[in-house]
Amino acid sequence: MVPLILWLIAITIVSFTIGFGIVIMTTGFPPSPGSFPTSENSVPIDGAKEAGISLSIGTGEINIYGGTAENVLIDKTTTSLSPALETTLVTGSGDRKFISMTGPEQDNKTVLLLDSKRLWNAGITGQIPVALDVRLGAGHSTLNTGGLNFTALAIHTGAGTTDLDLSGYHGSDFTGTITNGFGDISVRVPAGRNIRITVLRGVGDIRTDGMKSDGDYYVTSGYIPSEPGTALWVEQGVGTVRIVAVKS
Amino acid sequence: MAQTEQDYLGVLRSGLDGKMPKEEIDDILSDYVEHFRIGKAEGRTEEELYHALGAPEDVTREIKATYMVSRAEQTRSCSNIWHAIMATLGLGLFNLVFVLVPFIILAVLVAVVFVVGCLFAVLGPVSFIIALLQILGIPFISFWLWPVAGVFFAIGITSLGLLLVISDMYLAHFFYHLGIRYLKWNIRVIKGTEASI
């Protein structure tokens, strides 16, 4: 029995050594996100006049920006160890199109005991107005809205940070909500637009720069209530909320 | 009520009957008969000797525990060690903590190692086949991100599984041996405590 055990020990050690050696030679050590597989997923506009887009992953990072190729509604790149574990559902017809992109609730795959962060980079068209719904269980989400045109915006993050940059936004007015369980929220708004932000207080500081406050309402300096404007509701959860008005 | 030699021997016999072979019981009882005979020859009454030996119910439990542990030591089996533990539990309520809990922990440990080993030994070959299919470009399940590495990982997982299963046998033997020694020590301590009382 002892020689068998020694053989098994040797086979185990050699096999894992070679296996890890191949992985390290392929990805480097530690594995960099750039060495993880990527997959691209595009959905065309196909004559739609408006769209609803829902993006949802359990853990990871979502970066959203304005701008896609001609007639492309959304162009998403996934960087992950398991990019295949995602579904895209396109429904609607005619003028309206609805897209739902869903990643796994959890990324169970790890390389050399290091987490593989699922990264979504999604370009969204500014050619048609879009209602965007982003759901992230845990992680960081960034929205640079220059070049986008929203009809509605909703960002839900269980734990993590949310950065919403509306400073370059030139689309139509919209209504938006940002909900954070745990983590900081940063909102940058263009000082020259008619914007009102309502903060539903949780636990943590609220820091503003260039905004006028009235209780839990924060408005841009030239805010006129009677005129159309963008309304944002921010649910603080636990963490700091920063609202900055940026002069263009 | 008088407590006689026959009372004492009757309690012992009824307590041991069915738990051990008749010859063993007769052998043990003959020792007690001898004890009473010598005691009476020295002028002591049966009642005095009855009390000197300790409560027959306690003595019965001790004899049963000693016998069961000895049987488990001679013939290794799950059934024998289980009966030995149950007999030892009868020596005192505190043995629920000092005997039963450690036994359960060790048994669970052995079982977990075995299950994990079997799982690895089964998953290894399956993942090996999947890696080969991925290398050959046959769409199946995209299980391995690096199929070539997956082949080696699968071999490693298989041999690790077999290693765990084999090691578990040694682990079980070791714990068995350890358990017997512990039970013997436990009985010795209890007997010693009662003797000192």
Side-chain angles (χ1 to χ4, degrees):
Chain A
M1 193 65 97
V2 174
L4 175 65
I5 291 172
L6 292 176
W7 269 108
L8 287 173
I9 290 171
I11 291 169
T12 305
I13 292 170
V14 170
S15 301
F16 278 114
T17 305
I18 295 173
F20 280 119
I22 291 169
V23 173
I24 289 168
M25 279 194 295
T26 312
T27 67
F29 185 82
S32 61
S35 62
F36 294 157
T38 60
S39 72
E40 292 185 4
N41 193 354
S42 292
V43 178
I45 295 176
D46 279 343
K49 297 286 184 278
E50 62 178 307
I53 297 175
S54 169
L55 304 175
S56 173
I57 55 174
T59 55
E61 186 175 328
I62 298 180
N63 296 318
I64 294 167
Y65 51 88
T68 57
E70 187 70 20
N71 198 38
V72 173
L73 180 53
I74 180 168
D75 188 4
K76 178 175 71 72
T77 303
T78 299
T79 304
S80 164
L81 278 174
S82 49
L85 297 173
E86 294 180 1
T87 57
T88 299
L89 188 66
V90 181
T91 56
S93 60
D95 289 351
R96 291 187 171 194
K97 199 163 202 172
F98 300 98
I99 297 153
S100 171
M101 293 182 166
T102 309
E105 282 295 308
Q106 282 187 316
D107 269 334
N108 290 323
K109 293 191 175 179
T110 56
V111 168
L112 302 178
L113 306 178
L114 296 170
D115 282 337
S116 72
K117 188 167 61 178
R118 182 172 293 266
L119 172 65
W120 278 8
N121 284 312
I124 295 175
T125 187
Q127 292 174 246
I128 59 170
V130 167
L132 179 64
D133 183 82
V134 179
R135 290 171 187 276
L136 179 60
H140 177 64
S141 51
T142 307
L143 271 82
N144 287 305
T145 58
L148 282 167
N149 189 9
F150 289 127
T151 53
L153 174 66
I155 307 169
H156 308 276
T157 305
T161 54
T162 304
D163 293 331
L164 172 62
D165 188 354
L166 292 165
S167 61
Y169 184 75
H170 297 293
S172 52
D173 289 317
F174 66 93
T175 301
T177 58
I178 304 171
T179 309
N180 252 37
F182 289 87
D184 297 340
I185 300 170
S186 168
V187 182
R188 289 160 61 85
V189 296
R193 284 188 71 131
N194 212 33
I195 294 177
R196 188 183 82 163
I197 299 175
T198 307
V199 177
L200 304 170
R201 279 181 174 275
V203 178
D205 293 339
I206 297 173
R207 296 172 190 166
T208 62
D209 184 9
M211 301 289 287
K212 287 197 296 187
S213 87
D214 179 11
D216 287 339
Y217 298 99
Y218 299 89
V219 295
T220 45
S221 56
Y223 180 75
I224 303 169
S226 57
E227 288 196 1
T230 291
L232 288 175
W233 275 264
V234 175
E235 198 170 314
Q236 188 175 16
V238 179
T240 302
V241 175
R242 292 184 185 81
I243 303 170
V244 179
V246 181
K247 287 178 183 166
S248 54
Chain B
M1 188 178 143
Q3 290 167 319
T4 65
E5 178 183 351
Q6 286 312 310
D7 293 338
Y8 200 96
L9 296 176
V11 172
L12 284 186
R13 185 175 287 283
S14 64
L16 299 174
D17 230 9
K19 303 287 190 302
M20 1 187 346
K22 191 174 177 307
E23 300 75 37
E24 291 267 1
I25 297 171
D26 290 341
D27 191 37
I28 291 166
L29 291 185
S30 68
D31 289 343
Y32 285 87
V33 170
E34 185 66 8
H35 183 84
F36 273 98
R37 191 189 63 76
I38 294 168
K40 282 189 278 190
E42 288 170 353
R44 298 171 71 185
T45 64
E46 284 192 9
E47 194 163 354
E48 280 173 359
L49 293 165
Y50 189 109
H51 289 295
L53 285 169
E57 293 82 6
D58 291 342
V59 174
T60 306
R61 281 194 284 269
E62 284 172 12
I63 293 168
K64 265 196 293 190
T66 307
Y67 171 75
M68 293 296 180
V69 171
S70 165
R71 196 176 66 165
E73 189 178 22
Q74 283 161 11
T75 314
R76 289 184 175 187
S77 77
C78 291
S79 162
N80 283 352
I81 191 74
W82 176 250
H83 284 122
I85 287 163
M86 288 297 111
T88 314
L89 287 182
L91 297 180
L93 204 59
F94 51 86
N95 265 352
L96 277 174
V97 175
F98 291 108
V99 173
L100 193 60
V101 172
F103 170 77
I104 289 171
I105 290 170
L106 295 183
V108 167
L109 184 66
V110 169
V112 166
V113 172
F114 183 75
V115 169
V116 171
C118 288
L119 210 62
F120 278 21
V122 172
L123 280 181
V126 173
S127 57
F128 180 81
I129 293 167
I130 291 172
L132 287 182
L133 290 175
Q134 280 185 247
I135 290 169
L136 294 171
I138 299 168
F140 187 60
I141 306 168
S142 184
F143 182 76
W144 293 105
L145 292 160
W146 297 279
V148 178
V151 168
F152 291 97
F153 283 133
I155 294 169
I157 289 167
T158 308
S159 56
L160 184 63
L162 294 173
L163 203 57
L164 284 175
V165 171
I166 293 169
S167 306
D168 198 46
M169 283 171 14
Y170 286 99
L171 193 68
H173 282 159
F174 173 71
F175 284 158
Y176 195 100
H177 181 68
L178 199 70
I180 294 290
R181 289 184 67 177
Y182 181 69
L183 290 177
K184 280 178 159 179
W185 175 81
N186 184 280
I187 293 167
R188 264 204 318 274
V189 168
I190 290 169
K191 275 183 176 173
T193 309
E194 284 179 357
S196 67
I197 291 168

